Amino acid sequence: KNLTLRKVANSILFKKRLSRQSSLSWGHKPSPLIGASCFLFLLPIPLLLRACCPLPAFFLGCVTVSSYFSDHVYTGVESWAHIADRVLAPLAFASNLHSIYAHHGAVWALSSLAALKCHVWANYYSKRGMYDEFVIWHSMWHAVGVGLIVVCFAVNGRVGECWEGSRWEVILNDHSMI
């Protein structure tokens, strides 16, 4: 009942999140598809910056690196990259979800459930040692999440207030860019 900082720090969930261990049972088996899908996180960054959402853009930049190292370079082996990715990925997801909700509403934010479903399936296949299925669903987790962010900000074409009066305002308001 009494939740203390010590109990949280000793919890299994907390220890797993901050573990250098890989959660994959098949060992070091990098997938080119997953490796390539990590770079998809770069795609929404210009649209997020255009909408004056620098924090989600920053986290996606960080997750590009942490995800590539955790999911591809050091997949299946012990690495600091797993800790970085387990911390940064939820921050990137939450900050992007918040920006989508704040700027475009609940319907757009709810679309993130499709990406979460891919993540759930990837975890399901990972726990069962089904490598090929894991690769597909983990890559889809990256692709669907990024795709939803890109579609949301591109369709809504939001140029944030931070650009008002800037010499970039005319360029950013040019819809032929998208």
Side-chain angles (χ1 to χ4, degrees):
K1 279 187 167 181
N2 190 6
L3 189 63
T4 65
L5 187 56
R6 182 180 305 259
K7 286 180 182 177
V8 171
N10 286 327
S11 73
I12 292 172
L13 179 65
F14 187 78
K15 286 182 178 180
K16 279 186 135 183
R17 178 131 327 256
L18 297 179
S19 170
R20 293 171 37 99
Q21 297 290 43
S22 171
S23 60
L24 305 176
S25 61
W26 44 78
H28 187 62
K29 195 173 176 182
S31 161
L33 182 60
I34 290 178
S37 74
C38 296
F39 290 99
L40 293 174
F41 293 122
L42 296 172
L43 293 176
I45 291 175
L47 293 170
L48 288 163
L49 292 175
R50 181 177 186 240
C52 299
C53 300
L55 189 60
F58 170 76
F59 281 132
L60 285 178
C62 292
V63 162
T64 301
V65 175
S66 70
S67 181
Y68 182 73
F69 279 97
S70 179
D71 297 348
H72 185 69
V73 175
Y74 296 109
T75 185
V77 297
E78 187 176 307
S79 171
W80 59 269
H82 303 308
I83 298 170
D85 198 46
R86 289 177 188 134
V87 170
L88 290 169
L91 291 173
F93 183 82
S95 65
N96 277 277
L97 184 62
H98 177 267
S99 290
I100 289 170
Y101 178 75
H103 296 295
H104 306 295
V107 173
W108 281 103
L110 285 172
S111 69
S112 68
L113 292 175
L116 281 178
K117 184 67 173 177
C118 295
H119 184 60
V120 168
W121 279 112
N123 285 338
Y124 173 85
Y125 289 118
S126 170
K127 286 179 180 25
R128 282 153 187 77
M130 300 170 76
Y131 176 76
D132 293 333
E133 291 82 358
F134 167 78
V135 167
I136 296 297
W137 287 102
H138 194 83
S139 300
M140 289 296 292
W141 155 241
H142 293 172
V144 171
V146 164
L148 291 169
I149 297 167
V150 168
V151 168
C152 176
F153 280 91
V155 164
N156 291 299
R158 184 174 192 293
V159 176
E161 303 81 36
C162 63
W163 297 106
E164 286 178 12
S166 162
R167 61 188 173 112
W168 294 100
E169 184 177 18
V170 172
I171 295 167
L172 293 170
N173 278 312
D174 180 7
H175 294 287
S176 66
M177 286 178 44
I178 301 174

